[in-house]
PDB file of all heavy atoms in Angstrom:
ATOM      1  N   GLN A   1      -4.663  -7.184 -13.161  1.00 96.00           N
ATOM      2  CA  GLN A   1      -3.663  -6.115 -13.300  1.00 96.00           C
ATOM      3  C   GLN A   1      -4.232  -4.748 -12.929  1.00 96.00           C
ATOM      4  O   GLN A   1      -3.535  -3.916 -12.359  1.00 96.00           O
ATOM      5  CB  GLN A   1      -3.105  -6.100 -14.727  1.00 96.00           C
ATOM      6  CG  GLN A   1      -2.267  -7.319 -15.049  1.00 96.00           C
ATOM      7  CD  GLN A   1      -1.110  -7.494 -14.076  1.00 96.00           C
ATOM      8  OE1 GLN A   1      -0.350  -6.569 -13.830  1.00 96.00           O
ATOM      9  NE2 GLN A   1      -1.006  -8.673 -13.490  1.00 96.00           N
ATOM     10  N   TYR A   2      -5.482  -4.517 -13.255  1.00 97.00           N
ATOM     11  CA  TYR A   2      -6.146  -3.263 -12.884  1.00 97.00           C
ATOM     12  C   TYR A   2      -6.169  -3.128 -11.367  1.00 97.00           C
ATOM     13  O   TYR A   2      -5.837  -2.065 -10.820  1.00 97.00           O
ATOM     14  CB  TYR A   2      -7.563  -3.249 -13.469  1.00 97.00           C
ATOM     15  CG  TYR A   2      -8.349  -2.001 -13.165  1.00 97.00           C
ATOM     16  CD1 TYR A   2      -7.933  -0.762 -13.640  1.00 97.00           C
ATOM     17  CD2 TYR A   2      -9.523  -2.058 -12.441  1.00 97.00           C
ATOM     18  CE1 TYR A   2      -8.665   0.386 -13.384  1.00 97.00           C
ATOM     19  CE2 TYR A   2     -10.260  -0.921 -12.179  1.00 97.00           C
ATOM     20  CZ  TYR A   2      -9.832   0.301 -12.650  1.00 97.00           C
ATOM     21  OH  TYR A   2     -10.562   1.431 -12.389  1.00 97.00           O
ATOM     22  N   ALA A   3      -6.543  -4.196 -10.671  1.00 97.00           N
ATOM     23  CA  ALA A   3      -6.591  -4.173  -9.211  1.00 97.00           C
ATOM     24  C   ALA A   3      -5.203  -3.918  -8.620  1.00 97.00           C
ATOM     25  O   ALA A   3      -5.055  -3.133  -7.674  1.00 97.00           O
ATOM     26  CB  ALA A   3      -7.163  -5.488  -8.680  1.00 97.00           C
ATOM     27  N   ALA A   4      -4.187  -4.552  -9.173  1.00 97.00           N
ATOM     28  CA  ALA A   4      -2.819  -4.345  -8.679  1.00 97.00           C
ATOM     29  C   ALA A   4      -2.403  -2.886  -8.842  1.00 97.00           C
ATOM     30  O   ALA A   4      -1.780  -2.301  -7.949  1.00 97.00           O
ATOM     31  CB  ALA A   4      -1.845  -5.266  -9.412  1.00 97.00           C
ATOM     32  N   GLY A   5      -2.759  -2.281  -9.963  1.00 96.00           N
ATOM     33  CA  GLY A   5      -2.448  -0.865 -10.181  1.00 96.00           C
ATOM     34  C   GLY A   5      -3.207   0.041  -9.234  1.00 96.00           C
ATOM     35  O   GLY A   5      -2.663   1.035  -8.724  1.00 96.00           O
ATOM     36  N   LEU A   6      -4.461  -0.292  -8.972  1.00 97.00           N
ATOM     37  CA  LEU A   6      -5.242   0.510  -8.021  1.00 97.00           C
ATOM     38  C   LEU A   6      -4.619   0.480  -6.625  1.00 97.00           C
ATOM     39  O   LEU A   6      -4.578   1.501  -5.938  1.00 97.00           O
ATOM     40  CB  LEU A   6      -6.687   0.005  -7.950  1.00 97.00           C
ATOM     41  CG  LEU A   6      -7.594   0.363  -9.106  1.00 97.00           C
ATOM     42  CD1 LEU A   6      -8.966  -0.275  -8.913  1.00 97.00           C
ATOM     43  CD2 LEU A   6      -7.728   1.873  -9.252  1.00 97.00           C
ATOM     44  N   VAL A   7      -4.142  -0.679  -6.225  1.00 96.00           N
ATOM     45  CA  VAL A   7      -3.532  -0.795  -4.894  1.00 96.00           C
ATOM     46  C   VAL A   7      -2.321   0.127  -4.784  1.00 96.00           C
ATOM     47  O   VAL A   7      -2.127   0.779  -3.752  1.00 96.00           O
ATOM     48  CB  VAL A   7      -3.160  -2.261  -4.582  1.00 96.00           C
ATOM     49  CG1 VAL A   7      -2.269  -2.358  -3.353  1.00 96.00           C
ATOM     50  CG2 VAL A   7      -4.420  -3.087  -4.393  1.00 96.00           C
ATOM     51  N   VAL A   8      -1.516   0.212  -5.825  1.00 96.00           N
ATOM     52  CA  VAL A   8      -0.368   1.121  -5.809  1.00 96.00           C
ATOM     53  C   VAL A   8      -0.852   2.553  -5.608  1.00 96.00           C
ATOM     54  O   VAL A   8      -0.315   3.293  -4.776  1.00 96.00           O
ATOM     55  CB  VAL A   8       0.469   1.002  -7.104  1.00 96.00           C
ATOM     56  CG1 VAL A   8       1.557   2.057  -7.146  1.00 96.00           C
ATOM     57  CG2 VAL A   8       1.071  -0.389  -7.221  1.00 96.00           C
ATOM     58  N   SER A   9      -1.882   2.941  -6.330  1.00 95.00           N
ATOM     59  CA  SER A   9      -2.430   4.298  -6.191  1.00 95.00           C
ATOM     60  C   SER A   9      -3.022   4.517  -4.803  1.00 95.00           C
ATOM     61  O   SER A   9      -2.810   5.563  -4.193  1.00 95.00           O
ATOM     62  CB  SER A   9      -3.514   4.541  -7.238  1.00 95.00           C
ATOM     63  OG  SER A   9      -2.977   4.498  -8.522  1.00 95.00           O
ATOM     64  N   TYR A  10      -3.786   3.545  -4.332  1.00 96.00           N
ATOM     65  CA  TYR A  10      -4.421   3.672  -3.014  1.00 96.00           C
ATOM     66  C   TYR A  10      -3.394   3.809  -1.893  1.00 96.00           C
ATOM     67  O   TYR A  10      -3.633   4.496  -0.903  1.00 96.00           O
ATOM     68  CB  TYR A  10      -5.276   2.447  -2.712  1.00 96.00           C
ATOM     69  CG  TYR A  10      -6.569   2.326  -3.470  1.00 96.00           C
ATOM     70  CD1 TYR A  10      -7.222   1.097  -3.532  1.00 96.00           C
ATOM     71  CD2 TYR A  10      -7.171   3.407  -4.108  1.00 96.00           C
ATOM     72  CE1 TYR A  10      -8.423   0.952  -4.203  1.00 96.00           C
ATOM     73  CE2 TYR A  10      -8.372   3.268  -4.783  1.00 96.00           C
ATOM     74  CZ  TYR A  10      -8.995   2.044  -4.821  1.00 96.00           C
ATOM     75  OH  TYR A  10     -10.191   1.893  -5.474  1.00 96.00           O
ATOM     76  N   ALA A  11      -2.261   3.132  -2.029  1.00 95.00           N
ATOM     77  CA  ALA A  11      -1.257   3.119  -0.963  1.00 95.00           C
ATOM     78  C   ALA A  11      -0.418   4.393  -0.921  1.00 95.00           C
ATOM     79  O   ALA A  11       0.126   4.737   0.132  1.00 95.00           O
ATOM     80  CB  ALA A  11      -0.343   1.907  -1.132  1.00 95.00           C
ATOM     81  N   ARG A  12      -0.337   5.103  -2.034  1.00 94.00           N
ATOM     82  CA  ARG A  12       0.514   6.303  -2.111  1.00 94.00           C
ATOM     83  C   ARG A  12       0.073   7.340  -1.074  1.00 94.00           C
ATOM     84  O   ARG A  12      -0.999   7.909  -1.149  1.00 94.00           O
ATOM     85  CB  ARG A  12       0.458   6.890  -3.519  1.00 94.00           C
ATOM     86  CG  ARG A  12       1.535   7.918  -3.775  1.00 94.00           C
ATOM     87  CD  ARG A  12       1.570   8.340  -5.241  1.00 94.00           C
ATOM     88  NE  ARG A  12       1.947   7.206  -6.084  1.00 94.00           N
ATOM     89  CZ  ARG A  12       1.219   6.761  -7.102  1.00 94.00           C
ATOM     90  NH1 ARG A  12       0.094   7.334  -7.438  1.00 94.00           N
ATOM     91  NH2 ARG A  12       1.642   5.741  -7.807  1.00 94.00           N
ATOM     92  N   GLY A  13       0.922   7.555  -0.058  1.00 92.00           N
ATOM     93  CA  GLY A  13       0.641   8.532   0.988  1.00 92.00           C
ATOM     94  C   GLY A  13      -0.504   8.141   1.911  1.00 92.00           C
ATOM     95  O   GLY A  13      -0.997   8.979   2.667  1.00 92.00           O
ATOM     96  N   ASN A  14      -0.920   6.881   1.878  1.00 94.00           N
ATOM     97  CA  ASN A  14      -2.085   6.455   2.646  1.00 94.00           C
ATOM     98  C   ASN A  14      -1.792   5.263   3.557  1.00 94.00           C
ATOM     99  O   ASN A  14      -2.687   4.525   3.913  1.00 94.00           O
ATOM    100  CB  ASN A  14      -3.234   6.102   1.678  1.00 94.00           C
ATOM    101  CG  ASN A  14      -4.544   5.858   2.386  1.00 94.00           C
ATOM    102  OD1 ASN A  14      -4.781   6.376   3.473  1.00 94.00           O
ATOM    103  ND2 ASN A  14      -5.401   5.060   1.778  1.00 94.00           N
ATOM    104  N   LEU A  15      -0.528   5.070   3.922  1.00 92.00           N
ATOM    105  CA  LEU A  15      -0.173   3.973   4.822  1.00 92.00           C
ATOM    106  C   LEU A  15       0.219   4.529   6.180  1.00 92.00           C
ATOM    107  O   LEU A  15       0.786   5.612   6.280  1.00 92.00           O
ATOM    108  CB  LEU A  15       0.980   3.140   4.243  1.00 92.00           C
ATOM    109  CG  LEU A  15       0.716   2.463   2.904  1.00 92.00           C
ATOM    110  CD1 LEU A  15       1.946   1.696   2.451  1.00 92.00           C
ATOM    111  CD2 LEU A  15      -0.496   1.547   2.967  1.00 92.00           C
ATOM    112  N   VAL A  16      -0.085   3.778   7.222  1.00 90.00           N
ATOM    113  CA  VAL A  16       0.294   4.174   8.582  1.00 90.00           C
ATOM    114  C   VAL A  16       1.708   3.662   8.830  1.00 90.00           C
ATOM    115  O   VAL A  16       1.915   2.456   8.995  1.00 90.00           O
ATOM    116  CB  VAL A  16      -0.687   3.595   9.620  1.00 90.00           C
ATOM    117  CG1 VAL A  16      -0.302   4.042  11.022  1.00 90.00           C
ATOM    118  CG2 VAL A  16      -2.121   3.981   9.295  1.00 90.00           C
ATOM    119  N   PRO A  17       2.704   4.571   8.834  1.00 86.00           N
ATOM    120  CA  PRO A  17       4.112   4.133   8.921  1.00 86.00           C
ATOM    121  C   PRO A  17       4.427   3.252  10.123  1.00 86.00           C
ATOM    122  O   PRO A  17       5.212   2.314  10.004  1.00 86.00           O
ATOM    123  CB  PRO A  17       4.893   5.444   8.995  1.00 86.00           C
ATOM    124  CG  PRO A  17       3.988   6.462   8.403  1.00 86.00           C
ATOM    125  CD  PRO A  17       2.589   6.010   8.710  1.00 86.00           C
ATOM    126  N   ARG A  18       3.828   3.519  11.259  1.00 85.00           N
ATOM    127  CA  ARG A  18       4.183   2.726  12.453  1.00 85.00           C
ATOM    128  C   ARG A  18       3.699   1.280  12.363  1.00 85.00           C
ATOM    129  O   ARG A  18       4.139   0.429  13.121  1.00 85.00           O
ATOM    130  CB  ARG A  18       3.696   3.408  13.717  1.00 85.00           C
ATOM    131  CG  ARG A  18       2.211   3.402  13.910  1.00 85.00           C
ATOM    132  CD  ARG A  18       1.846   4.012  15.281  1.00 85.00           C
ATOM    133  NE  ARG A  18       0.437   3.972  15.496  1.00 85.00           N
ATOM    134  CZ  ARG A  18      -0.396   4.970  15.242  1.00 85.00           C
ATOM    135  NH1 ARG A  18       0.074   6.102  14.757  1.00 85.00           N
ATOM    136  NH2 ARG A  18      -1.673   4.839  15.478  1.00 85.00           N
ATOM    137  N   PHE A  19       2.782   1.001  11.438  1.00 87.00           N
ATOM    138  CA  PHE A  19       2.291  -0.361  11.264  1.00 87.00           C
ATOM    139  C   PHE A  19       2.892  -1.055  10.048  1.00 87.00           C
ATOM    140  O   PHE A  19       2.501  -2.160   9.709  1.00 87.00           O
ATOM    141  CB  PHE A  19       0.766  -0.375  11.154  1.00 87.00           C
ATOM    142  CG  PHE A  19       0.075   0.071  12.401  1.00 87.00           C
ATOM    143  CD1 PHE A  19      -0.875   1.074  12.354  1.00 87.00           C
ATOM    144  CD2 PHE A  19       0.380  -0.486  13.636  1.00 87.00           C
ATOM    145  CE1 PHE A  19      -1.514   1.500  13.499  1.00 87.00           C
ATOM    146  CE2 PHE A  19      -0.253  -0.069  14.791  1.00 87.00           C
ATOM    147  CZ  PHE A  19      -1.201   0.933  14.719  1.00 87.00           C
ATOM    148  N   VAL A  20       3.829  -0.392   9.389  1.00 84.00           N
ATOM    149  CA  VAL A  20       4.452  -0.959   8.193  1.00 84.00           C
ATOM    150  C   VAL A  20       5.865  -1.414   8.527  1.00 84.00           C
ATOM    151  O   VAL A  20       6.665  -0.639   9.033  1.00 84.00           O
ATOM    152  CB  VAL A  20       4.493   0.082   7.048  1.00 84.00           C
ATOM    153  CG1 VAL A  20       5.256  -0.477   5.862  1.00 84.00           C
ATOM    154  CG2 VAL A  20       3.086   0.478   6.640  1.00 84.00           C
ATOM    155  N   ASN A  21       6.153  -2.669   8.246  1.00 86.00           N
ATOM    156  CA  ASN A  21       7.507  -3.190   8.388  1.00 86.00           C
ATOM    157  C   ASN A  21       8.147  -3.189   7.009  1.00 86.00           C
ATOM    158  O   ASN A  21       7.667  -3.866   6.107  1.00 86.00           O
ATOM    159  CB  ASN A  21       7.503  -4.612   8.956  1.00 86.00           C
ATOM    160  CG  ASN A  21       7.012  -4.647  10.383  1.00 86.00           C
ATOM    161  OD1 ASN A  21       7.303  -3.759  11.168  1.00 86.00           O
ATOM    162  ND2 ASN A  21       6.236  -5.670  10.711  1.00 86.00           N
ATOM    163  N   ALA A  22       9.216  -2.420   6.868  1.00 83.00           N
ATOM    164  CA  ALA A  22       9.893  -2.328   5.575  1.00 83.00           C
ATOM    165  C   ALA A  22      10.352  -3.710   5.119  1.00 83.00           C
ATOM    166  O   ALA A  22      10.837  -4.511   5.912  1.00 83.00           O
ATOM    167  CB  ALA A  22      11.089  -1.390   5.684  1.00 83.00           C
ATOM    168  N   GLY A  23      10.184  -3.972   3.851  1.00 87.00           N
ATOM    169  CA  GLY A  23      10.589  -5.252   3.286  1.00 87.00           C
ATOM    170  C   GLY A  23       9.603  -6.365   3.562  1.00 87.00           C
ATOM    171  O   GLY A  23       9.912  -7.533   3.346  1.00 87.00           O
ATOM    172  N   SER A  24       8.407  -6.028   4.012  1.00 91.00           N
ATOM    173  CA  SER A  24       7.401  -7.046   4.328  1.00 91.00           C
ATOM    174  C   SER A  24       6.292  -7.061   3.290  1.00 91.00           C
ATOM    175  O   SER A  24       6.027  -6.068   2.622  1.00 91.00           O
ATOM    176  CB  SER A  24       6.784  -6.771   5.709  1.00 91.00           C
ATOM    177  OG  SER A  24       7.744  -6.930   6.715  1.00 91.00           O
ATOM    178  N   TRP A  25       5.643  -8.214   3.206  1.00 95.00           N
ATOM    179  CA  TRP A  25       4.515  -8.399   2.307  1.00 95.00           C
ATOM    180  C   TRP A  25       3.216  -8.241   3.078  1.00 95.00           C
ATOM    181  O   TRP A  25       3.107  -8.664   4.234  1.00 95.00           O
ATOM    182  CB  TRP A  25       4.554  -9.787   1.682  1.00 95.00           C
ATOM    183  CG  TRP A  25       5.607  -9.937   0.640  1.00 95.00           C
ATOM    184  CD1 TRP A  25       6.904 -10.351   0.831  1.00 95.00           C
ATOM    185  CD2 TRP A  25       5.472  -9.664  -0.748  1.00 95.00           C
ATOM    186  NE1 TRP A  25       7.573 -10.342  -0.372  1.00 95.00           N
ATOM    187  CE2 TRP A  25       6.711  -9.930  -1.360  1.00 95.00           C
ATOM    188  CE3 TRP A  25       4.414  -9.226  -1.550  1.00 95.00           C
ATOM    189  CZ2 TRP A  25       6.929  -9.779  -2.725  1.00 95.00           C
ATOM    190  CZ3 TRP A  25       4.627  -9.067  -2.914  1.00 95.00           C
ATOM    191  CH2 TRP A  25       5.867  -9.347  -3.485  1.00 95.00           C
TER     192      TRP A  25
END
């Protein structure tokens, strides 16, 4: 659960939009 929470924090404002497909895993 700690790791899952860290990923949420790490991803905030840190994703490359052109490589992200909305609704994808």
Side-chain angles (χ1 to χ4, degrees):
Q1 292 303 309
Y2 180 63
L6 284 177
V7 168
V8 173
S9 296
Y10 287 163
R12 193 172 295 124
N14 189 26
L15 299 179
V16 181
R18 70 175 182 265
F19 295 127
V20 175
N21 293 322
S24 294
W25 286 90

